[in-house]
Amino acid sequence: MDIDHKLEVATTFIDRVTDPRRKDGLNSAAAMKALDMDATPETMVNRLLPEPPKEIEPGGSAD
């Protein structure tokens, strides 16, 4: 029962995400967790945040 409540809370937060791609990734991660299909933190980060970080030049901005 506790896992059901945690999943419900997680999906409530995920529903607030506006980026469809990120939302799908978070839903997938939540489903994996609910099914005890845990991955390493590194794998989860690579799956949920696949874009390489932007390099910022000194005195500049990333945008």
Side-chain angles (χ1 to χ4, degrees):
M1 182 135 161
D2 188 43
I3 188 68
D4 290 336
H5 176 69
K6 288 179 180 179
L7 184 59
E8 184 178 334
V9 169
T11 55
T12 298
F13 284 118
I14 293 168
D15 285 342
R16 296 178 184 175
V17 175
T18 57
D19 183 305
R21 187 169 173 219
R22 297 231 168 137
K23 190 175 200 173
D24 286 345
L26 290 168
N27 278 319
S28 296
M32 286 177 59
K33 182 70 174 172
L35 296 171
D36 289 327
M37 297 173 60
D38 293 327
T40 65
E42 293 81 11
T43 300
M44 294 304 289
V45 168
N46 288 339
R47 297 289 189 243
L48 296 175
L49 305 171
E51 299 99 23
K54 295 179 182 177
E55 291 190 31
I56 300 174
E57 295 182 24
S61 68
D63 295 317

